[in-house]
Amino acid sequence: MYHAASHRPPRNRLPRWQRLSIYAAVALLLLSGLGWLWVAYALAPPDEPTPAPHRWAGPLLALHGIAGYVGAILCALVGQVHLRTGWRVTVVRGAAATLAALLLWLVLSGLGFYYVADEALVPWLRWTHLCVGLVLPAALAWHIVRGRRALHRH
């Protein structure tokens, strides 16, 4: 196991294509999710309950769902080497665990929209999914900064 005082942490940076793919997926997820939120709530007619139907709501949700599956596949690819090697670096373990927990919640809550039978849970899923989704870019940045600091500290 890696201990900060003993030696330099292993170099564990993702390949450029993988980093850029993850950043693009996160950006697309954030933009499509916020876009849906905007059209379903902010552009809703005053008399309609929210989320209100809008001609862009369906395409935005479809884009969001496709980007979500791409993001899940990219995360699975990360686990092959990056996660196994990085877990030995105790100084970044908290940021990594936080990021993994947030990603897991986003995947499970996203699937919950399709498979939850109780309609009363859908608003709760929607708002927790939204809140976690808004936190995800900051958690990813925190993970990246912690990893780079751990590497450059030694």
Side-chain angles (χ1 to χ4, degrees):
M1 177 166 297
Y2 165 75
H3 295 286
S6 62
H7 57 62
R8 186 177 181 91
R11 181 147 171 84
N12 197 25
R13 193 169 191 193
L14 294 175
R16 181 177 165 81
W17 72 267
Q18 207 168 24
R19 285 192 321 271
L20 294 178
S21 297
I22 289 169
Y23 301 157
V26 169
L28 187 56
L29 283 161
L30 188 63
L31 291 173
S32 61
L34 289 174
W36 178 85
L37 189 69
W38 177 258
V39 301
Y41 287 89
L43 300 183
D47 302 347
E48 286 206 38
T50 53
H54 187 278
R55 64 186 173 114
W56 284 101
L60 284 167
L61 278 181
L63 179 62
H64 192 73
I66 292 166
Y69 282 110
V70 169
I73 291 167
L74 289 168
C75 288
L77 292 174
V78 166
Q80 180 59 26
V81 175
H82 183 76
L83 193 123
R84 286 188 299 138
T85 302
W87 195 252
R88 296 185 310 217
V89 184
T90 55
V91 88
V92 296
R93 201 175 286 164
T98 299
L99 185 60
L102 293 174
L103 289 165
L104 180 62
W105 175 252
L106 289 170
V107 167
L108 293 176
S109 60
L111 289 172
F113 291 126
Y114 293 104
Y115 299 111
V116 168
D118 185 2
E119 287 296 318
L121 285 177
V122 171
W124 181 81
L125 283 171
R126 179 181 302 120
W127 293 109
T128 58
H129 187 86
L130 169 71
C131 291
V132 171
L134 291 173
V135 169
L136 183 73
L140 179 59
W142 179 45
H143 174 71
I144 292 166
V145 167
R146 294 284 296 188
R148 288 183 181 170
R149 282 188 186 156
L151 188 61
H152 294 289
R153 204 176 286 158
H154 299 284

